[in-house]
Amino acid sequence: MTDTKVEESLFQIIHCYHQYAAREGDVETLSLEELKALLVDNVPRFMGSLGRKEPHYITELFQAADRNKDNQICFEEFLYILGKLVQDYHLQYRRQLCAHHCTQHSLY
Amino acid sequence: MTDTKVEESLFQIIHCYHQYAAREGDVETLSLEELKALLVDNVPRFMGSLGRKEPHYITELFQAADRNKDNQICFEEFLYILGKLVQDYHLQYRRQLCAHHCTQHSLY
């Protein structure tokens, strides 16, 4: 059975998590440095928003996700960050649709 | 700026949500029928697990996601379902890795 596009997308995100988790220390979890690299390399649109490249932003995001305070983000904790990403890209998706609509109807 | 694979994956999931939301009624939210069609068409691996094709499973999933009880799943509520999907595909990803490892090392 071939995977659907949505299934490929889910696996892509999961694969990305594990690629960065495997870099150093515990190969199943993200350290602060691994999370930072994952975000900078893979979600530049998210990181492009004002203030997100500031070190304290990533540190605060990491701390908010790290529910058991073991200074590592496990996969279940990463779902919190994924939720933030999906919400951010949803806004971008809507803005793009709106811009496309405005261009088509010469509203600007 | 070209989108990364992870960004394409996020947009793919968002696009899928809106495709099904637009089918009938409120074009921004999923009805029970729209959610069912989205799951059956796009995540057959998830739906293939025992009991998930039973009507009561999807109804219970819908009700658990529908926090404000308006009988529709808005995008924020859909994040609950997306979390379930990501966790399920994460298990499948690990099983595949394990099977691959076992085959390579002739463990079966």
Side-chain angles (χ1 to χ4, degrees):
Chain A
M1 188 168 64
T2 317
D3 289 343
T4 66
K5 283 185 180 179
V6 170
E7 289 178 326
E8 284 175 7
S9 300
L10 293 168
F11 283 134
Q12 179 67 48
I13 291 164
I14 292 162
H15 178 66
C16 172
Y17 170 88
H18 282 289
Q19 261 190 317
Y20 285 80
R23 283 192 172 185
E24 56 171 26
D26 187 331
V27 297
E28 294 289 333
T29 61
L30 294 174
S31 64
L32 178 60
E33 281 309 305
E34 286 169 339
L35 174 66
K36 186 179 172 184
L38 183 158
L39 296 174
V40 168
D41 297 348
N42 295 282
V43 284
R45 280 171 176 256
F46 177 80
M47 292 304 288
S49 287
L50 195 67
R52 288 202 176 132
K53 279 184 180 140
E54 303 291 330
H56 72 83
Y57 175 78
I58 304 206
T59 306
E60 283 167 21
L61 183 64
F62 185 92
Q63 287 171 348
D66 182 19
R67 290 201 199 156
N68 67 354
K69 303 298 169 202
D70 67 348
N71 224 25
Q72 294 287 318
I73 303 292
C74 68
F75 190 77
E76 282 64 35
E77 291 171 337
F78 179 67
L79 294 181
Y80 169 84
I81 293 167
L82 183 59
K84 293 243 174 237
L85 295 177
V86 175
Q87 283 182 296
D88 189 89
Y89 281 81
H90 187 227
L91 284 177
Q92 298 195 28
Y93 178 85
R94 300 194 71 125
R95 266 188 230 123
Q96 280 180 339
L97 273 191
C98 183
H100 179 69
H101 177 81
C102 291
T103 309
Q104 276 203 324
H105 297 273
S106 308
L107 296 180
Y108 288 137
Chain B
M1 187 168 64
T2 317
D3 289 342
T4 66
K5 283 185 181 179
V6 170
E7 288 178 326
E8 283 175 7
S9 299
L10 293 168
F11 282 134
Q12 179 66 47
I13 292 164
I14 292 162
H15 178 64
C16 171
Y17 170 88
H18 282 289
Q19 262 190 318
Y20 285 80
R23 284 193 172 185
E24 55 170 28
D26 187 332
V27 297
E28 296 289 333
T29 61
L30 294 174
S31 65
L32 178 61
E33 281 309 304
E34 286 169 340
L35 174 66
K36 186 180 172 185
L38 184 157
L39 296 174
V40 168
D41 296 348
N42 295 282
V43 285
R45 280 171 176 257
F46 176 80
M47 293 303 289
S49 286
L50 195 66
R52 288 202 176 133
K53 278 182 182 144
E54 303 292 328
H56 72 84
Y57 175 79
I58 303 204
T59 307
E60 283 168 20
L61 183 64
F62 185 93
Q63 287 170 348
D66 182 20
R67 289 201 200 156
N68 67 355
K69 303 299 170 200
D70 66 349
N71 224 24
Q72 295 288 317
I73 303 292
C74 67
F75 190 77
E76 283 64 34
E77 290 171 339
F78 179 68
L79 294 181
Y80 169 83
I81 293 166
L82 183 59
K84 293 244 174 233
L85 295 177
V86 175
Q87 283 182 296
D88 188 89
Y89 281 80
H90 187 228
L91 284 177
Q92 299 196 28
Y93 179 85
R94 299 193 73 125
R95 265 189 231 123
Q96 279 181 338
L97 273 191
C98 182
H100 179 70
H101 178 81
C102 291
T103 308
Q104 275 202 324
H105 298 271
S106 308
L107 296 180
Y108 288 134

